[in-house]
Amino acid sequence: MLQLKIVSPEKVEFEGKVESVKVPGSQGMFEILTNHAPIISTLQSGVVEYDGRQLAVTGGFVTVQKNEVSLCVEKG
């Protein structure tokens, strides 16, 4: 399981445990699963998908470390 936190300038959009997260990285869409290697990536406009939910974003960044995923996003 991953601990996911999604924050926008307005509020905390989501915080909780998820199986996976798909994000629109600057080099294309990629999926984060349990035990993913540490990474920091910028996000482009697209959709963040997690446990059957979707969140449209216009940009931001994602960090992954020790099964903790943090997204700082801008919503359109």
Side-chain angles (χ1 to χ4, degrees), residues 10-76:
E10 295 82 26
K11 63 179 182 173
V12 175
E13 301 289 337
F14 178 84
E15 188 168 11
K17 294 194 179 297
V18 297
E19 291 289 331
S20 69
V21 184
K22 290 183 183 176
V23 296
S26 56
Q27 300 294 311
M29 197 77 167
F30 67 94
E31 185 172 19
I32 301 163
L33 299 169
T34 302
N35 298 322
H36 194 285
I39 188 173
I40 298 173
S41 177
T42 56
L43 302 177
Q44 63 183 9
S45 183
V47 176
V48 174
E49 299 176 21
Y50 54 100
D51 281 2
R53 301 179 191 179
Q54 295 186 337
L55 178 67
V57 300
T58 57
F61 68 91
V62 58
T63 62
V64 180
Q65 189 169 16
K66 296 181 182 175
N67 292 323
E68 292 185 9
V69 182
S70 299
L71 281 82
C72 287
V73 299
E74 296 175 15
K75 296 183 358 180

